[in-house]
Amino acid sequence: MSYNLLKGKRGIIFGALDENSIAWKTAERVHEEGGTFVLTNAPIAMRMGSINKLAEKTGSKIIPADATSVEDLEALVAGAVEELGGKIDFVLHSIGMSINVRKGRHYTDQKYDWTQKGTDVSAMSFHKTMQVLYKQDAMNEWGSIVALTYMAAQRVFPDYNDMADNKAYLESIARSFGYFFGRDKKVRVNTISQSPTPTTAGQGVKGFDGFIAYADKMSPLGNASAQDCADYTVSLFSDLTKKVTLQNLFHDGGFSNMGVSDAVMEAFVEAEKK
């Protein structure tokens, strides 16, 4: 159902890879709510995905950009403003990558040049993106910038590896840069801490199926899906949340406030009997 929440609003959506990705679902929902946007991803990611299909479906232009490159981001933001016919109202940062995870390096045995690359892609790219938007004065007042994160930034999930550190850094950047963006430009910056979601990137984490099953049993409302997250993101892009900023917003069916659930306890007791 559409409510025209984003009618007349313009934006940039990073990270739509395929139909499983949260950015993809968000782009579809933004389109349904009347928003227009530019899609972007790194050239290598675009070759792996099917972003052209999404662009055709939503009538959007694709501007490739390496989010770790300030020069690429400068061209992206300037191109988006020109393509969309005005300043930007919303931005979704949905980017994350760990070479250590991908290549099976344990957290206690990291290859640090891989770690640095992952931090640049997963977190520092968010600072670079906002710095370019800020310096180009490319955001409208009461605009909204959202990045996706995960609860491993606060709690230990051993196999999430250095991505946990990346997400903690990402959340800190949102608060720190969000202060200046709010004070100077009246732009809000938030992160959404999403349930474990079976995206293409998420499924690369060892034991991810276990993460999903455990979180679903622990959460009173069950896991939030990619579609649920898209809906929530739309609400943060809309004028209904104009005074929400500097927040890490848990979107996880209640998982973040749970100690233990009946379902998890029952599973544990049954396992102990065997």
Side-chain angles (χ1 to χ4, degrees):
M1 183 181 293
S2 173
Y3 304 93
N4 281 324
L5 289 175
L6 303 180
K7 185 176 181 181
K9 293 190 181 294
R10 301 176 283 257
I12 302 172
I13 295 178
F14 287 78
L17 182 66
D18 56 36
E19 292 179 350
N20 295 319
S21 63
I22 293 171
W24 185 292
K25 301 291 187 187
T26 301
E28 291 177 329
R29 285 294 291 120
V30 169
H31 177 64
E32 290 169 4
E33 292 295 338
T36 56
F37 49 86
V38 161
L39 294 165
T40 187
N41 216 328
I44 187 170
M46 291 177 60
R47 290 195 295 272
M48 293 166 55
S50 48
I51 194 172
N52 289 326
K53 178 182 173 183
L54 179 62
E56 183 178 349
K57 181 178 181 179
T58 59
S60 305
K61 182 175 180 177
I62 303 169
I63 302 180
D66 176 353
T68 68
S69 164
V70 172
E71 292 75 18
D72 277 16
L73 291 169
E74 288 171 342
L76 166 65
V77 171
V81 170
E82 181 178 1
E83 171 68 20
L84 298 171
K87 289 187 178 183
I88 302 303
D89 298 291
F90 60 86
V91 176
L92 176 65
H93 180 281
S94 181
I95 307 171
M97 183 275 293
S98 166
I99 304 175
N100 286 305
V101 169
R102 189 183 300 163
K103 293 186 177 291
R105 291 293 285 251
H106 195 268
Y107 186 77
T108 60
D109 184 35
Q110 292 186 36
K111 189 172 180 182
Y112 289 116
D113 56 342
W114 292 354
T115 306
Q116 191 169 25
K117 179 64 175 176
T119 300
D120 199 12
V121 172
S122 304
M124 203 175 299
S125 65
F126 191 41
H127 192 287
K128 291 176 181 178
T129 297
M130 287 196 285
Q131 182 168 292
V132 169
L133 290 163
Y134 183 91
K135 287 186 173 182
Q136 290 191 10
D137 193 26
M139 295 290 297
N140 277 319
E141 284 196 353
W142 306 111
S144 176
I145 300 172
V146 173
L148 299 182
T149 185
Y150 181 52
M151 196 178 180
Q154 290 84 32
R155 298 187 189 175
V156 177
F157 291 81
D159 291 326
Y160 205 62
N161 208 308
D162 58 329
M163 275 303 298
D165 303 331
N166 295 338
K167 293 301 188 185
Y169 184 25
L170 178 84
E171 292 174 17
S172 179
I173 289 169
R175 289 187 295 270
S176 298
F177 214 122
Y179 167 74
F180 296 105
F181 239 139
R183 183 194 70 181
D184 299 338
K185 311 283 189 180
K186 294 293 184 289
V187 171
R188 54 218 147 103
V189 181
N190 296 287
T191 53
I192 295 175
S193 188
Q194 167 70 3
S195 295
T197 309
T199 62
T200 301
Q203 289 173 348
V205 177
K206 180 183 174 184
F208 198 72
D209 289 345
F211 281 4
I212 292 175
Y214 171 72
D216 200 47
K217 284 182 178 295
M218 183 70 84
S219 309
L221 296 181
N223 288 335
S225 69
Q227 189 65 59
D228 293 330
C229 191
D231 291 337
Y232 192 37
T233 304
V234 164
S235 76
L236 290 174
F237 287 165
S238 80
D239 291 336
L240 299 177
T241 52
K242 286 174 70 172
K243 292 298 179 73
V244 179
T245 195
L246 312 186
Q247 303 301 308
N248 181 45
L249 300 159
F250 290 101
H251 185 247
D252 58 10
F255 177 88
S256 50
N257 273 324
M258 290 297 296
V260 71
S261 68
D262 292 337
V264 168
M265 280 298 295
E266 287 167 6
F268 179 76
V269 169
E270 287 301 315
E272 286 292 296
K273 291 177 180 179
K274 294 178 181 178

